Amino acid sequence: MAGTPLTTSQTFNVVIIGQNNRLQYEALLFAASLRHSSPDFRGRLFVATPQPGPRWSGDPSLRNQATREALERLGAEILPFENRVFGQSYPHGNKIEALMALPEGEPFVFFDSDTLITGELASVPFDFDRPSASLRCEGSWPEPTLYGPGYAGIWKSLYDRFGLDFDSSLDLSQPDEYWRRYLYFNAGYFYYKCPRAFGERFLDYAKSIRDDPPDELICQSLDPWLDQVALPLVIHSFGGGRDALPAGYLDGGVSCHYRLFPLLYAREADRVIEVLEEVAAPNKIKKVLKQYEPIRKLVFQRKGAKVRALFDQQNLPRREQAMRKQIREAGLWLR
């Protein structure tokens, strides 16, 4: 992404999940960062919240009145949805079931709530006919066993299950049995031209894999990976792929999927921290965010600066686990 990108004329909706836990505070930060960094965004921002029901032991919905009011002041629309398949047993399934509550036939972008918008979202050249998702990921699934099957056997069994062409999904520039050869995404963002079509297929594939996994998956864990196992199959089935969005926008100059606040301070760009601290500062937002200990201590009590000082951002540990260990040893791991 070179220079300052032009704003596109596309209108699309954005959806994140907000519920009665840490996600409500992340959702508020997301909404504040969207309004701050993307003044040209003309779509609707939905904060989808699961409703109480048999899939939950308690009430997961977004009940904190101060949070709701702060979100609504930022132009967010609270969108209730029902969990018919997932729920408490697999909260990652919220991102699948929430799609059915969005306006049919209107392009959408889903973001994980633990994301900040750091640039003009309206500048991103989405091709909503060709879906894609985040490539900022590690080879977290599958974990082939010594006696097989390998990556190819596991993934091919899934493409075969849904009548998809496996060979056309491969990145032939990567070596055989190396995880990057196979279509795999982080589900931190994804998009398509219709949320209902995408959501229905996502739900069908995820249910099928969960309830009746191919034999090749016998030794593979699906929790918490089920959404990321089904996602590349859905994207491939709609004609999308890893090359559908130019690099440098999402997970780049326009958005940051930070995941955890200690890791944000440890490894993300200075711009991300500037946006975080600027959008958290207004009193009406700060008052709500202070209810959440990691934000109160890391952002408002400046302990985040101490986390950042532990690391050379130009020479970070290669493994995230090493970063976590160092932050814990300093007594600054908060989540």
Side-chain angles (χ1 to χ4, degrees):
M1 188 176 66
T4 303
L6 298 174
T7 299
T8 71
S9 60
Q10 298 186 96
T11 300
F12 55 90
N13 299 323
V14 168
V15 59
I16 58 175
I17 304 295
Q19 62 188 89
N20 199 42
N21 55 19
R22 66 177 172 82
L23 268 66
Q24 66 182 306
Y25 306 111
E26 294 171 353
L28 180 53
L29 277 172
F30 179 95
S33 70
L34 175 65
R35 299 311 182 200
H36 172 81
S37 302
S38 184
D40 291 331
F41 174 67
R42 297 288 178 261
R44 298 161 77 185
L45 169 60
F46 293 101
V47 179
T49 183
Q51 297 303 287
R55 300 287 176 188
W56 298 95
S57 63
D59 183 351
S61 64
L62 186 52
R63 305 192 304 277
N64 184 311
Q65 192 59 30
T67 306
R68 292 177 68 101
E69 288 173 1
L71 284 165
E72 287 165 356
R73 278 196 300 271
L74 291 163
E77 300 177 48
I78 310 296
L79 181 71
F81 71 92
E82 292 182 44
N83 293 98
R84 294 187 172 89
V85 175
F86 299 112
Q88 189 164 319
S89 64
Y90 188 66
H92 290 74
N94 281 341
K95 68 181 64 176
I96 301 174
E97 296 195 83
L99 299 179
M100 263 68 81
L102 290 170
E104 187 170 9
E106 296 183 11
F108 77 95
V109 185
F110 170 88
F111 286 100
D112 270 347
S113 306
D114 50 358
T115 299
L116 289 171
I117 300 302
T118 55
E120 181 52 73
L121 188 60
S123 73
V124 180
F126 293 108
D127 178 353
F128 286 104
D129 290 325
R130 292 193 65 218
S132 195
S134 173
L135 290 168
R136 189 182 182 185
C137 57
E138 298 176 347
S140 50
W141 194 93
E143 293 186 352
T145 59
L146 181 61
Y147 299 105
Y151 283 97
I154 292 167
W155 278 115
K156 188 174 187 304
S157 73
L158 290 164
Y159 283 78
D160 290 347
R161 159 68 61 88
F162 301 110
L164 304 173
D165 181 58
F166 173 62
D167 290 343
S168 62
S169 74
L170 300 175
D171 179 353
L172 299 180
S173 71
Q174 301 290 341
D176 193 29
E177 290 302 315
Y178 177 55
W179 72 270
R180 288 192 183 277
R181 184 179 177 90
Y182 311 94
L183 197 61
Y184 191 58
F185 300 100
N186 184 300
Y189 76 77
F190 52 84
Y191 59 87
Y192 188 53
K193 64 184 178 182
C194 176
R196 303 276 182 92
F198 197 92
E200 286 169 5
R201 190 167 297 179
F202 204 171
L203 189 61
D204 286 345
Y205 284 13
K207 277 171 55 182
S208 174
I209 296 164
R210 182 195 67 178
D211 297 341
D212 182 26
D215 291 344
E216 288 82 355
L217 271 64
I218 192 106
C219 294
Q220 300 298 322
S221 172
L222 290 171
D223 191 356
W225 312 116
L226 179 60
D227 60 329
Q228 294 191 179
V229 176
L231 181 59
L233 305 168
V234 177
I235 285 173
H236 189 66
S237 76
F238 283 118
R242 59 177 68 79
D243 60 345
L245 185 67
Y249 290 93
L250 302 187
D251 295 331
V254 172
S255 72
C256 173
H257 184 202
Y258 58 86
R259 292 177 43 228
L260 296 160
F261 290 103
L263 292 178
L264 185 159
Y265 276 98
R267 68 185 177 189
E268 302 299 349
D270 290 344
R271 167 68 179 161
V272 176
I273 294 170
E274 288 168 10
V275 169
L276 167 64
E277 295 183 348
E278 191 164 345
V279 304
N283 280 333
K284 287 184 177 180
I285 293 175
K286 183 177 182 179
K287 186 177 178 182
V288 178
L289 295 176
K290 283 171 71 175
Q291 297 174 49
Y292 184 51
E293 183 186 36
I295 296 176
R296 184 174 70 251
K297 290 189 173 180
L298 291 168
V299 179
F300 301 127
Q301 296 177 11
R302 311 295 299 169
K303 292 183 186 291
K306 295 182 178 180
V307 173
R308 197 156 184 83
L310 294 173
F311 300 96
D312 174 1
Q313 276 70 47
Q314 306 307 314
N315 188 27
L316 290 168
R318 292 183 64 188
R319 291 175 56 82
E320 182 180 299
Q321 207 59 38
M323 270 189 278
R324 290 172 177 244
K325 182 173 184 288
Q326 200 167 335
I327 298 168
R328 280 196 180 94
E329 287 173 351
L332 295 167
W333 185 259
L334 296 157
R335 70 161 300 179

